[in-house]
Amino acid sequence: MTAIKEIPLNELDPTVQTRFQSGEHYEVFDRLRAEAPVYFHEDTQYGPFWSISNYKDIIEVEANPKVFSSDAAYGGIWIKEQPKDTIRKSFMTADQPEHDVQRKVVNPIVSPTNLHDMEKKVRDIVTLVLDDLPLNEEIDWVERVSVEVTGRVLCELMDFPVDERLDLTTWSDIVNTDVDAGTEISDEYKKLEALAPMIKKFKELFAERTAMPPQTDLISMLAHSQETADMEPQQFVGMLVLLMVGGNDTTRNSISGGVDALNKFPEEYKKLRENPELVDSMVPEIIRWVTPVAHMRRTALADYELKGQTIKKGDKVIMWYCSGNRDDAVIEDPYQFKIDRKNPRQHVSFGFGIHRCLGNRMAEMQLRILWEEILKRGWIIETTGEPERRFSNFVVGIDSLKAIIRPA
Amino acid sequence: MAKITFVEHDGTQHEVEAAAGTNVMQAAVDNSIQGIDGDCGGMCACATCHITVDPAWFAKTGARSENEESMLTFLPEIAETARLGCQIEITDELDGLVVHLPIEQF
């Protein structure tokens, strides 16, 4: 294989999934930031598109949703064009004014009052999960901790039956399956077919909550809101899928990726054990380090000048968050995992602008409480190998991470 | 230069000096005022510099832009005088400005 530094820029496809598994994608984006931070690739596996790879340029694109559309009608947020009849629309793939109307409905789930109520519930869930773990024995951290914590929290948020929680993980993984990964789910239609049980279940729950008095869970909120109650089934399923995936995969992979990072930077892990209060600044650093969502797509609705380049109306634009989070013009020593950064929240993992992650504080809370509880027990989580990474250029997925818990 | 007073949720006051041409978010960050994050660096793109302008000063701070209006909908409740600090440019006329900080940012 040709070394990345020797490939001519116009032949370098930044979307090659296996490089995201091996970590070589960082070299690709180091080159793009240095040589052409706003670059038009003419030939990739997804056809032509612009790569935006600098931190500040990503924010500029995010801050201009009128020019850079997320609307499903133009291709939404997906780098690969989707067949029109398989698209589930949500506020993530809506422009204004539709976006605000829908987002406002679910916003109360992350209000300070609700977050405060969730704090104790999340701690109970984390305690339950950790108390069940064997010590001095190899376990799969993903399966035993990351999946369990996020799945149970999601059940709480949706008032979803907790004994069926693994369905949420399975469905979320199906949604995020790269159709080119060589699995049975080889196109969007097969994906929809595989998601049939999810659609059935969500429709049932939606009907059940509609018939009940309003509650504080997400499904009830949607069922009883004026804006969303009369939605087409495809639309509310779209909303629920967004909330399910958003509240699942991303935090799960941050939990796993954080353990991996601490093991790769043992001096930081030592610092953490000696100063447990550093959990607060470590959490956003984990989210930067992992960058659970590697990119998002926009479509230009008008010509736009950026760094001397003209992005043409109709062009596909990819904002590479995984690159912005390694931009040394903004982040000092970006390839260093540092749990005590001065501005740890300076990262692009949540996106910016109107589509900024809705659950950002909920995600941080889960990571914080998990680490508070691990440190309280005096445990050292020792990984015993490399994480098994998923074939994807979108979700930075860790499917397995073997570890041993060493008690104090 | 303009003097700006940040009032914390519990009533604690912090007075800072800010140069004309900068903005309220920057003034807070430069003076390590807790409760203003400014994650996006002043692009009206994150709503983590949300403040409430003292009603007496609201008219002088100008009008919310469309984008700002939209970012404010991230908040569970939008006070009548809610603004994003990064969107209030400091001018000499704002000397004496009083703004209130939320319990926490989003």
Side-chain angles (χ1 to χ4, degrees):
Chain A
M1 230 171 15
T2 322
I4 282 162
K5 60 178 189 311
E6 281 155 19
I7 302 175
L9 214 52
N10 62 0
E11 288 172 22
L12 191 58
D13 182 348
T15 68
V16 176
Q17 292 92 333
T18 48
R19 292 199 192 117
F20 285 78
Q21 290 174 292
S22 65
E24 288 166 295
H25 65 303
Y26 286 122
E27 279 179 60
V28 175
F29 293 110
D30 284 349
R31 272 197 68 190
L32 281 172
R33 284 195 310 280
E35 295 171 37
V38 177
Y39 186 72
F40 190 68
H41 305 275
E42 286 178 17
D43 186 24
T44 76
Q45 61 175 320
Y46 308 114
F49 64 80
W50 290 91
S51 269
I52 313 294
S53 44
N54 272 357
Y55 187 102
K56 285 187 174 156
D57 296 333
I58 290 171
I59 296 187
E60 182 168 339
V61 170
E62 296 260 39
N64 199 336
K66 271 192 175 159
V67 171
F68 297 105
S69 167
S70 296
D71 202 289
Y74 307 107
I77 52 110
W78 306 286
I79 195 166
K80 187 177 174 111
E81 304 305 323
Q82 311 279 307
K84 291 273 183 245
D85 53 348
T86 63
I87 288 175
R88 291 171 302 268
K89 199 161 181 183
S90 68
F91 54 90
M92 192 190 203
T93 50
D95 289 343
Q96 301 292 33
E98 199 185 344
H99 165 271
D100 278 11
V101 172
Q102 288 193 21
R103 178 167 176 141
K104 268 185 214 167
V105 177
V106 288
N107 227 10
I109 199 80
V110 289
S111 70
T113 323
N114 220 28
L115 282 176
H116 184 79
D117 292 348
M118 278 304 289
E119 169 104 19
K120 189 185 172 306
K121 290 176 186 162
V122 171
R123 200 171 296 277
D124 288 347
I125 287 170
V126 166
T127 303
L128 181 86
V129 169
L130 293 185
D131 285 353
D132 193 39
L133 297 176
L135 308 179
N136 297 313
E137 184 183 306
E138 192 177 74
I139 57 164
D140 187 343
W141 189 261
V142 174
E143 181 198 339
R144 298 294 299 269
V145 183
S146 314
V147 165
E148 281 297 318
V149 170
T150 50
R152 287 172 181 272
V153 169
L154 200 54
C155 285
E156 190 66 49
L157 291 171
M158 290 185 151
D159 193 12
F160 188 92
V162 75
D163 49 349
E164 294 168 37
R165 64 187 178 280
L166 288 182
D167 285 346
L168 293 172
T169 309
T170 307
W171 297 335
S172 182
D173 283 346
I174 294 173
V175 170
N176 281 332
T177 297
D178 188 316
V179 294
D180 299 315
T183 68
E184 278 173 19
I185 300 166
S186 53
D187 64 42
E188 293 301 324
Y189 296 97
K190 296 216 171 92
K191 203 181 261 194
L192 263 189
E193 228 176 273
L195 288 172
M198 172 197 79
I199 294 171
K200 182 168 171 277
K201 182 75 188 177
F202 281 166
K203 281 183 180 167
E204 278 169 20
L205 288 173
F206 197 79
E208 175 199 295
R209 301 294 148 81
T210 308
M212 285 162 61
Q215 303 179 137
T216 52
D217 66 272
L218 278 166
I219 301 178
S220 181
M221 257 180 212
L222 287 174
H224 289 277
S225 140
Q226 233 180 342
E227 283 80 9
T228 53
D230 300 330
M231 271 182 183
E232 294 293 316
Q234 187 158 349
Q235 257 194 309
F236 79 69
V237 169
M239 290 267 267
L240 285 177
V241 169
L242 169 61
L243 299 165
M244 175 186 79
V245 174
N248 195 320
D249 239 0
T250 48
T251 312
R252 184 206 316 170
N253 293 320
S254 299
I255 290 175
S256 310
V259 171
D260 181 48
L262 283 167
N263 276 271
K264 294 206 164 108
F265 294 86
E267 69 289 359
E268 295 297 299
Y269 203 170
K270 183 163 176 278
K271 212 191 287 174
L272 174 69
R273 292 199 305 275
E274 286 162 3
N275 310 277
E277 74 282 0
L278 288 176
V279 164
D280 285 348
S281 52
M282 174 180 75
V283 165
E285 173 68 352
I286 289 177
I287 294 167
R288 176 190 77 88
W289 184 256
V290 172
T291 319
V293 177
H295 74 264
M296 282 284 172
R297 175 247 178 101
R298 300 286 185 261
T299 307
L301 298 186
D303 290 2
Y304 191 87
E305 288 281 325
L306 187 60
K307 284 268 163 70
Q309 305 286 322
T310 305
I311 297 172
K312 293 272 186 216
K313 180 180 174 178
D315 285 353
K316 189 195 291 192
V317 177
I318 306 296
M319 303 174 291
W320 292 105
Y321 299 140
C322 55
S323 175
N325 279 338
R326 295 293 183 274
D327 182 350
D328 62 6
V330 176
I331 296 156
E332 204 182 294
D333 296 334
Y335 284 98
Q336 186 68 32
F337 177 74
K338 272 190 215 176
I339 65 166
D340 51 358
R341 287 186 182 272
K342 198 167 150 262
N343 296 311
R345 276 188 167 165
Q346 199 168 42
H347 63 70
V348 290
S349 296
F350 292 132
F352 281 105
I354 62 171
H355 295 288
R356 187 169 164 85
C357 174
L358 174 87
N360 55 353
R361 300 308 187 227
M362 194 68 82
E364 288 178 346
M365 184 203 284
Q366 290 181 55
L367 276 164
R368 171 175 57 79
I369 292 176
L370 174 65
W371 276 102
E372 282 171 0
E373 291 299 321
I374 290 171
L375 292 166
K376 209 191 274 176
R377 285 163 173 74
W379 289 356
I380 297 176
I381 318 298
E382 202 180 283
T383 55
T384 53
E386 281 298 305
E388 196 181 294
R389 293 185 183 276
R390 204 180 306 170
F391 181 94
S392 171
N393 52 38
F394 182 57
V395 170
V396 181
I398 297 179
D399 288 329
S400 170
L401 178 63
K402 299 281 171 24
I404 297 174
I405 302 170
R406 303 285 184 204
Chain B
M1 293 293 271
K3 196 179 76 184
I4 305 174
T5 305
F6 291 92
V7 186
E8 279 184 52
H9 196 72
D10 65 5
T12 313
Q13 301 201 357
H14 306 272
E15 254 183 40
V16 307
E17 293 270 335
T22 167
N23 61 61
V24 170
M25 179 277 288
Q26 205 54 53
V29 171
D30 290 347
N31 290 283
S32 305
I33 302 288
Q34 297 292 306
I36 297 275
D37 298 340
D39 289 352
C40 78
M43 295 288 287
C44 191
C46 71
T48 64
C49 63
H50 159 230
I51 46 106
T52 313
V53 178
D54 199 86
W57 287 90
F58 189 58
K60 285 191 184 155
T61 59
R64 293 175 192 159
S65 70
E66 204 180 311
N67 252 355
E68 186 180 355
E69 200 74 61
S70 191
M71 292 311 295
L72 284 170
T73 63
F74 278 42
L75 311 173
E77 275 173 53
I78 311 169
E80 243 175 83
T81 64
R83 292 292 309 269
L84 294 185
C86 71
Q87 299 302 299
I88 303 175
E89 193 188 327
I90 307 284
T91 57
D92 293 337
E93 291 192 348
L94 288 183
D95 187 24
L97 176 69
V98 179
V99 301
H100 300 266
L101 300 171
I103 305 178
E104 64 179 324
Q105 296 288 352
F106 267 73

